Amino acid sequence: GLKMAARQWYETNDDLMREKQAALRLETAWHCDIVKLSVKYGADWMAWRDGEVVGVIEYKNRPHEWNTYSTYMISLHKWIALRVAAEYSATQKHRVTPIIVVEFKDGMYWLEVKPELATLEMGGRIDRDDPEDMEPCMFIPMHHWKKIKEHN
């Protein structure tokens, strides 16, 4: 028979706890409600304000400082998913913004997903011995990112 290999899933309980904390912090900083999306949407969250969607968000956590690398890499698949999820909203008062939020050691940073901010190259990781880990990726220079203002 035909055997379909499921794509390996790499998300732990720790990741999910951290993600929940980050969502709460973002709700406070941006005065919105964050709703976690099903994995089929290709984005982690939707941000709502006054009953309307205002953002589609991919959340990442990185174990280093914001300026450790000169660029940030995200898969083309994720980039496309964010842009597509934001497209459907033309009838709303507000444009839905596709956003990447990355939590670095020194704070949370965000970026609006715009083609002119990134370059397309092959990238990925080779440490997991998974051939699907090498793929087309968007590389975004770090100077485009903005720090999320949080008031503790």
Side-chain angles (χ1 to χ4, degrees):
L2 186 65
K3 282 213 288 269
M4 294 292 287
R7 180 83 169 98
Q8 183 67 46
W9 201 245
Y10 304 104
E11 201 168 40
T12 66
N13 275 337
D14 256 15
D15 293 337
L16 293 169
M17 272 307 296
R18 207 178 290 127
E19 187 181 316
K20 208 170 179 60
Q21 290 297 318
L24 291 169
R25 286 164 53 202
L26 209 54
E27 285 182 330
T28 303
W30 284 355
H31 312 289
C32 63
D33 294 307
I34 300 285
V35 177
K36 186 161 171 58
L37 295 174
S38 148
V39 68
K40 69 184 173 196
Y41 287 101
D44 292 316
W45 305 329
M46 248 179 190
W48 295 76
R49 192 180 291 129
D50 303 323
E52 283 205 339
V53 184
V54 289
V56 182
I57 304 168
E58 173 68 14
Y59 168 76
K60 297 285 188 199
N61 190 292
R62 291 292 172 258
H64 51 76
E65 311 271 302
W66 165 77
N67 64 359
T68 304
Y69 301 102
S70 61
T71 59
Y72 182 83
M73 179 186 82
I74 187 167
S75 74
L76 177 62
H77 170 77
K78 283 276 186 204
W79 182 271
I80 291 168
L82 286 162
R83 292 196 40 100
V84 169
E87 277 302 305
Y88 76 93
S89 61
T91 55
Q92 294 200 147
K93 288 196 295 289
H94 305 286
R95 190 175 69 86
V96 174
T97 309
I99 293 169
I100 306 165
V101 169
V102 184
E103 188 167 356
F104 293 98
K105 280 223 179 310
D106 52 344
M108 280 204 289
Y109 288 75
W110 74 280
L111 176 105
E112 181 176 344
V113 174
K114 292 186 198 162
E116 64 271 20
L117 298 184
T119 52
L120 178 60
E121 296 170 40
M122 285 301 286
R125 50 194 292 179
I126 51 175
D127 58 310
R128 294 192 293 212
D129 209 26
D130 181 339
E132 281 194 49
D133 275 344
M134 280 305 284
E135 59 181 327
C137 291
M138 298 302 277
F139 288 82
I140 310 148
M142 295 315 297
H143 65 257
H144 291 309
W145 296 76
K146 299 179 192 84
K147 190 164 192 175
I148 295 169
K149 290 173 185 63
E150 296 188 80
H151 307 288
N152 303 346

